[in-house]
């Protein structure tokens, strides 16, 4: 395998509200034979799941090899070769959802306006582009395709965030219960950032914090965001929940420009496990209903599995993207 690790300095992430680094490693995979020729290749951008970074997708372990090793194997088996970029969009709260937020930073602009041109300037890319990723990464690719018409030509959304009511609302009561153990959100943040072990009830809280920072930022609020629920009763705050719902692809696709952007894709591929713990298979079914009603072409698969340990599904999705993009005229 061939991996290049670049150090990218971002203009759009400088002075972000989380204080996260604006200089980040960018991992780029090039296919076998890249250095020996002058051919150009499609560019795939891997958007990682919540709480992950591009480096983690590349690293893997002996039981589950990283994506570069998987790509080498797929190409050796006949998949068209591709260049793959692995940006780091991790934030203080775990993720960015690949959108611009005053509470986290301009991650839509980071991926679309900085990372893609930066990679294409330094590597031989054909101009054919695609997004892929799992969970929040799948959501990010789908959302960016709707937000930025014509930027990419193919998208794979694997177990992506669809159907926000079923995805997020069931956890709000657990978030409230955990926060009630602390005097304030500040006290929980202090506890969380000093922790020695991560997981359990704190995961539900940081996940809700991360999503609120992305979907309902408010510079006047503590930490720059507001929750969409009342902390005493768990009742929804309609005006804030509406901000979250506006980012749900099921709602986004009803916007004519977003629907047109998906129609223009050469490939829209969607998949999800039929036992997804976050109920995302139900969100996928609802999204497919909207796509059918709007006459938007797509491919979709439900498979018998949960939300976790799904790297093996890349053997299905990445070859679809690579084959589609390699057929585009240069």
């Amino acid at each position: 395998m061939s991996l290049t690790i670049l150090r990218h300095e971002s203009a759009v992430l400088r002075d972000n509200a989380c204080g996260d680094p604006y200089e980040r490693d960018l991992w780029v995979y090039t296919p076998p034979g890249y250095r020996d020729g002058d051919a150009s290749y499609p560019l795939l951008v891997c958007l990682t799941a919540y709480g992950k970074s591009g480096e983690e997708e590349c690293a893997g372990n002996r039981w589950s090899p990283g994506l570069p090793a998987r790509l080498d194997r797929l190409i050796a088996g006949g998949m068209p070769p591709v260049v793959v970029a692995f940006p780091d969009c991790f934030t203080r709260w775990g993720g960015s959802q690949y959108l611009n937020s005053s509470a986290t930073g301009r991650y839509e602009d980071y991926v679309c306006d900085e990372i893609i041109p930066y990679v294409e300037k330094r590597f031989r890319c054909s101009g054919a582009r695609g997004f892929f990723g799992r969970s929040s990464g799948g959501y990010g690719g789908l959302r960016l395709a709707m937000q930025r018409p014509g930027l990419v030509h193919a998208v794979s959304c694997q177990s992506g965030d669809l159907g926000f009511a079923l995805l997020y609302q069931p956890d709000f009561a657990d978030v409230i219960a955990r926060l009630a153990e602390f005097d304030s959100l500040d006290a929980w943040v202090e506890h969380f950032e000093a922790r020695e072990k991560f997981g359990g009830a704190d995961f539900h809280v940081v996940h809700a914090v991360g999503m609120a920072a992305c979907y309902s930022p408010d510079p006047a609020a503590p930490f720059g965001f507001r929750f969409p629920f009342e902390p005493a009763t768990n009742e929804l705050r309609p005006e804030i929940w509406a901000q979250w719902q506006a980012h749900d692809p099921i709602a986004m696709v009803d916007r004519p420009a977003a629907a047109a952007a998906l129609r223009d894709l050469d490939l829209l591929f969607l998949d999800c496990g039929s036992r997804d713990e976050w109920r995302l298979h139900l969100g996928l079914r609802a999204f497919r209903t909207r796509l059918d009603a709007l006459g938007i072409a797509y491919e979709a698969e439900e498979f018998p599995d949960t939300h976790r340990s799904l790297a093996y599904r890349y053997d299905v999705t990445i070859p679809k993207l690579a084959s589609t993009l390699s057929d585009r005229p240069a």
Side-chain angles (χ1 to χ4, degrees):
M1 76 182 69
S2 180
L3 276 173
T4 303
I5 304 173
L6 303 170
R7 190 69 174 169
H8 176 263
E9 181 176 330
S10 171
V12 301
L13 296 184
R14 189 183 291 269
D15 300 323
N16 64 82
C18 285
D20 290 322
Y22 63 89
E23 292 187 39
R24 301 183 179 219
D25 287 343
L26 172 65
W27 294 53
V28 181
Y29 167 90
T30 50
Y34 177 89
R35 300 186 188 280
D36 301 326
D38 58 3
S40 296
Y41 303 91
L43 171 64
L44 296 181
V45 180
C46 175
L47 303 179
T48 61
Y50 173 80
K52 301 294 184 183
S53 68
E55 178 181 355
E56 290 175 272
E57 285 283 9
C58 291
N61 57 60
R62 290 183 180 272
W63 285 348
S64 180
L67 257 174
R70 186 178 298 274
L71 289 162
D72 278 353
R73 175 174 57 76
L74 291 170
I75 291 169
M79 184 184 86
V82 290
V83 171
V84 184
F86 297 88
D88 175 7
C89 295
F90 190 85
T91 72
R92 179 186 187 183
W93 309 124
S96 68
Q97 296 300 92
Y98 306 96
L99 50 75
N100 294 337
S101 165
S102 60
T104 54
R106 293 166 52 191
Y107 286 90
E108 175 183 324
D109 295 345
Y110 177 62
V111 171
C112 299
D113 299 332
E114 290 192 334
I115 293 301
I116 289 176
Y118 184 79
V119 172
E120 292 187 332
K121 182 177 179 180
R122 287 158 178 77
F123 296 87
R124 299 193 308 273
C125 299
S126 66
R129 305 178 188 128
F131 286 132
F132 74 98
R134 291 179 285 156
S135 196
S136 287
Y139 165 82
L142 181 60
R143 183 187 177 280
L144 290 177
M146 289 192 274
Q147 286 286 107
R148 298 292 189 108
L151 178 68
V152 297
H153 311 101
V155 172
S156 168
C157 174
Q158 298 179 240
S159 302
D161 299 1
L162 296 161
F164 280 14
L166 285 174
L167 166 57
Y168 296 122
Q169 288 184 25
D171 280 348
F172 289 165
D174 291 332
V175 174
I176 291 169
R178 179 59 170 166
L179 288 176
E181 300 175 23
F182 297 84
D183 292 335
S184 64
L185 180 60
D186 299 70
W188 176 84
V189 171
E190 183 178 354
H191 151 80
F192 177 75
E193 295 191 328
R195 74 199 183 285
E196 294 184 355
K197 183 177 180 179
F198 174 65
D202 285 327
F203 175 81
H204 292 292
V205 178
V206 75
H207 188 251
V209 165
M211 297 306 106
C214 293
Y215 299 140
S216 49
D218 182 347
F223 298 101
F225 65 84
R226 294 192 183 277
F227 286 125
F229 51 79
E230 295 291 348
T233 64
N234 197 25
E235 292 176 288
L236 285 180
R237 295 167 167 168
E239 72 285 358
I240 300 177
W241 179 246
Q243 292 178 259
W244 286 47
Q245 286 283 74
H247 291 287
D248 188 336
I250 296 172
M252 290 180 67
V253 75
D254 283 334
R255 303 170 196 167
L262 294 186
R263 284 193 191 93
D264 286 343
L265 293 174
D266 295 344
L267 173 68
L268 173 58
F269 182 78
L270 312 158
D271 75 359
C272 191
S274 58
R275 303 191 304 274
D276 189 283
E277 299 91 330
W278 298 91
R279 300 157 292 275
L280 295 173
H281 56 298
L282 302 178
L284 174 56
R285 293 172 192 173
F287 188 57
R288 291 179 64 179
T289 298
R290 294 303 308 137
L291 295 177
D292 290 338
L294 293 166
I296 297 172
Y298 64 92
E299 297 181 29
E301 293 182 15
E302 274 192 34
F303 52 90
D305 208 338
T306 62
H307 192 75
R308 297 175 173 84
S309 302
L310 297 179
Y312 69 92
R313 289 292 300 176
Y314 284 142
D315 283 14
V316 175
T317 58
I318 294 177
K320 285 180 176 289
L321 292 169
S323 296
T324 296
L325 294 174
S326 66
D327 288 339
R328 282 188 66 85

